Amino acid sequence: MTAAPAHKRILLKLSGEALMGDDPFGINRATIVRMVEEIADVVNSGVQLAVVIGGGNIFRGVAGGSVGMDRATADYMGMLATVMNSLALADSMNKQGLVARVMSAIAIEQVVEPYVRPKALQYLEEGKVVIFAAGTGNPFFTTDTAAALRGAEIGAELVLKATKVDGVYSADPNKDPSATRYSRITFDEAMSRNLGIMDATAFALCRDQKLPIRVFSIVKPGALRRVVMGEDEGTLVYA
Ligand code: UDP
């Protein structure tokens, strides 16, 4: 008999870069397929999963702003990049037997359906994966904030922040061999130690809502499953 997941509903935040694999930009198909295999494994174990995906593999507003573009326009481009990533992710999920629905914070109804909270909740109850596209729908925010916002809205028990490192360390583990991983840390401790876990707006929202964040590695095989099963994987940030 397989053990039951430790969580009923979770929100997974993937950065756009997670889709690049070893490519310098864009979407690497093999990387998505591998990631979706791990996602399918946890969804099939009965957990309700919502996903927020970033757009940094395609376009970031701050990059447009730094070369003289109007920042808000550049941010809308960034949000549209997250829609492309969402479509690629949903396509791969559907091909691997999951039922994925993309909901966008910006109306583009010929492409994906708009975000409607009760509909998202209904899909989750039905075991569908809901991918929240276009961030918060507002410039000057990030998809980390969208993850905190949607996570709070759908009553997720946990926000999973996927990174390339397997948790939060006392120092940069690539530079300092004595760096140690925090297994658990409170929001206050993380703040006082200046550990960059999510951007400040996202972090503050999770902290206010007492919505725990678990930082884990998306490139470590089996890590997502261990997180969902409640094992000591990555770092838990809690109130
Ligand atoms: N973005 C935005 N508002 C949001 C979410 C995202 O304006 O609510 C824009 C912003 O320009 C950002 C880009 O979309 O740079 C891509 O998102 P993000 O940088 O969060 O992606 P990630 O770093 O996770 O790949």
Side-chain angles (χ1 to χ4, degrees):
M1 202 179 81
T2 45
H7 306 283
K8 180 168 184 263
R9 183 176 290 166
I10 54 182
L11 186 134
L12 171 65
K13 161 72 212 296
L14 295 170
S15 70
E17 284 177 2
L19 304 186
M20 292 193 317
D22 292 330
D23 295 346
F25 67 92
I27 300 171
N28 181 284
R29 180 83 193 147
T31 301
I32 289 206
V33 169
R34 188 198 59 75
M35 207 182 296
V36 170
E37 275 167 11
E38 303 235 353
I39 290 173
D41 182 40
V42 302
V43 174
N44 291 333
S45 74
V47 68
Q48 296 179 12
L49 182 78
V51 181
V52 168
I53 176 109
N57 56 322
I58 300 171
F59 194 83
R60 276 208 181 92
V62 72
S66 70
V67 293
M69 272 191 80
D70 174 63
R71 174 61 196 269
T73 303
D75 277 340
Y76 279 107
M77 289 173 66
M79 285 185 262
L80 293 177
T82 73
V83 179
M84 288 203 258
N85 284 336
S86 299
L87 289 174
L89 197 59
D91 172 81
S92 183
M93 286 179 175
N94 290 329
K95 291 221 161 64
Q96 293 194 50
L98 297 175
V99 182
R101 292 280 185 269
V102 180
M103 299 190 119
S104 173
I106 293 175
I108 28 172
E109 288 176 44
Q110 281 79 6
V111 187
V112 290
E113 60 187 292
Y115 170 62
V116 177
R117 180 172 172 264
K119 199 90 186 273
L121 294 172
Q122 181 197 321
Y123 287 153
L124 290 168
E125 292 290 346
E126 291 168 355
K128 299 184 170 93
V129 178
V130 180
I131 303 174
F132 295 122
T136 64
N138 301 292
F140 309 110
F141 287 92
T142 66
T143 51
D144 271 6
T145 300
L149 177 66
R150 296 290 186 242
E153 279 189 78
I154 64 167
E157 291 160 24
L158 187 65
V159 168
L160 299 185
K161 162 90 175 163
T163 66
K164 286 181 181 157
V165 186
D166 68 337
V168 180
Y169 279 75
S170 54
D172 183 346
N174 294 320
K175 293 183 189 147
D176 182 350
S178 69
T180 51
R181 174 176 67 91
Y182 296 105
S183 173
R184 298 161 65 84
I185 189 164
T186 63
F187 282 102
D188 290 348
E189 245 180 298
M191 245 169 63
S192 70
R193 288 172 203 244
N194 223 358
L195 303 171
I197 290 173
M198 287 179 120
D199 72 66
T201 312
F203 189 86
L205 189 51
C206 288
R207 183 171 174 242
D208 286 353
Q209 296 304 316
K210 300 189 173 23
L211 174 57
I213 306 167
R214 192 177 279 274
V215 180
F216 78 107
S217 165
I218 191 70
V219 290
K220 183 173 165 189
L224 178 60
R225 165 163 267 275
R226 282 192 291 279
V227 165
V228 169
M229 300 313 285
E231 291 174 28
D232 177 27
E233 179 67 48
T235 299
L236 181 71
V237 188
Y238 65 102

